[in-house]
Amino acid sequence: MYPPQDASPIYCWDAVGYIPPNATFTNGEDGFCENSGELVATLVNPFWNNCDGGFIMVQYTGFDNCGNYLESDIIAINVLPD
């Protein structure tokens, strides 16, 4: 799975109303054997404030071409204080 951004810190003004981008996945094959797609990002919980910073938790879920349910670990994105 390839999250659309690394887990680089973001600033509090970017965290306000943050909508996590979707992630893509692939098995690296082409043609009939290809299994790739996009997983939907879900904001699990924001734990930050403008004085202390904190983090935003994101999880990716969806289905592959074969109908298998895919779920990522929860990814924490650090939020830097103002």
Side-chain angles (χ1 to χ4, degrees), residues 46-71:
F47 297 101
W48 66 275
N49 64 53
N50 65 331
C51 296
D52 303 317
F55 56 94
I56 295 173
M57 298 171 65
V58 178
Q59 186 168 39
Y60 296 94
T61 58
F63 293 89
D64 68 5
N65 298 357
C66 301
N68 298 310
Y69 180 71
L70 303 174
E71 181 177 85

Side-chain angles (χ1 to χ4, degrees), residues 21-36:
N22 291 342
T24 59
F25 68 91
T26 182
N27 65 352
E29 298 293 330
D30 291 323
F32 184 74
C33 295
E34 179 183 9
N35 191 354
S36 62

